Amino acid sequence: MSQGAAGNPTVAMIQAAFTHHQLPWRYINLEVAPADLPAAVHGALAMGFRGFNLSMPHKVAVIPLLAGLGESAKLIGAVNCVVRRDGAFVGENTDGKGFLTSLQTVIDPRGTNVVLFGAGGAARAIAIELALAGIRHLTIVNRAMDRGRGLVDALRAGTPTEVTFVPWSGNYVVPSDTQVLINATSIGLYAPEARVPVAVESLRPEMVVADVVFNPPNTRFLDEAAARGCTTLDGLGMLVNQGVIGVSYWTGVTPDAAVMRRALEQALGLAR
Ligand code: NDP
């Protein structure tokens, strides 16, 4: 069975960074069956790999195979980026860090009130990273109560951030003291007309509104927010910045994000 590595656009983006910075490196897509993960990780170490990215279902299963975890990877409980440090593999999570870097281009999140839609893998990574970055209050809005409450428990146990859970039913009315609103659900993925259930009239021009969905990047949620005068951030920024962080972990070179975004847009067929 395929684990879905084929067709992942990350390879085009990372390889473009290597080419642009004249780094004689290769980033390759490899399909690994769950039962073969331990052999693949040991083989990568033996063959001198400087690191690799992982997608589901390997993000959690890889943890016992590593020598250690970065702070946010430990709290998130998932690893999407492995880095060789002092001859051993360490697990990092760059999903939330990529989002945070993208967010910091428009607002300093320290001390802000944030509303987050979703409690899946992407939402969990973003929530932990925002908490570590010093936001004041986080409201998690999710349809499934158990997932939402589980994320709240993890945040309360591992970070000092104030957290509230709101079960999602009907159009969510965004509190007026919210500075950042994030859609971290899969609503809108390959579905440009799909609507995030939010009371659009509660969006205010001073809010930053972000979406994790990157295909298509101009989601209906962002269009509606832009029409209300909000500052918007698309999911490509998160994806590009997690690539930037991965390349800098592996090579020590901070790559040009604009070069990587162009390569990604081309790979996704979005280039104008
Ligand atoms: P998960 O399957 O782990 O979580 C999906 C989340 O979406 C859950 O909270 C789920 O709620 C919610 N959801 C799905 N459909 C609906 C709906 N109709 N109404 C309300 N809530 C809904 O997925 P991931 O967290 O891994 O991925 C989420 C999105 O993030 C995807 O679109 C993915 O492509 C994107 N992503 C983007 C990245 C980037 O770099 N830009 C990186 C990683 C992911 P419930 O718990 O109630 O089922």
Side-chain angles (χ1 to χ4, degrees), residues 83-195:
V83 187
R84 180 189 292 259
R85 292 190 185 126
D86 299 325
F89 278 155
V90 174
E92 296 281 0
N93 195 308
T94 59
D95 276 330
K97 290 183 202 295
F99 179 83
L100 182 63
T101 306
S102 182
L103 184 65
Q104 283 165 334
T105 62
V106 294
I107 190 173
D108 178 355
R110 278 175 299 179
T112 57
N113 298 321
V114 180
V115 172
L116 179 67
F117 292 148
R124 190 175 173 92
I126 289 169
I128 296 282
E129 212 64 61
L130 289 176
L132 293 176
I135 61 168
R136 196 184 80 75
H137 187 275
L138 180 62
T139 305
I140 292 165
V141 183
N142 198 56
R143 196 179 48 175
M145 308 254 273
D146 53 340
R147 279 226 266 190
R149 294 224 166 92
L151 178 51
V152 167
D153 290 346
L155 284 155
R156 288 196 179 134
T159 76
T161 303
E162 288 173 32
V163 201
T164 309
F165 172 62
V166 177
W168 204 346
S169 69
N171 285 337
Y172 180 78
V173 177
V174 182
S176 59
D177 63 350
T178 303
Q179 280 95 28
V180 180
L181 171 67
I182 306 157
N183 174 40
T185 73
S186 42
I187 302 171
L189 182 64
Y190 306 123
E193 288 310 311
R195 199 180 150 268

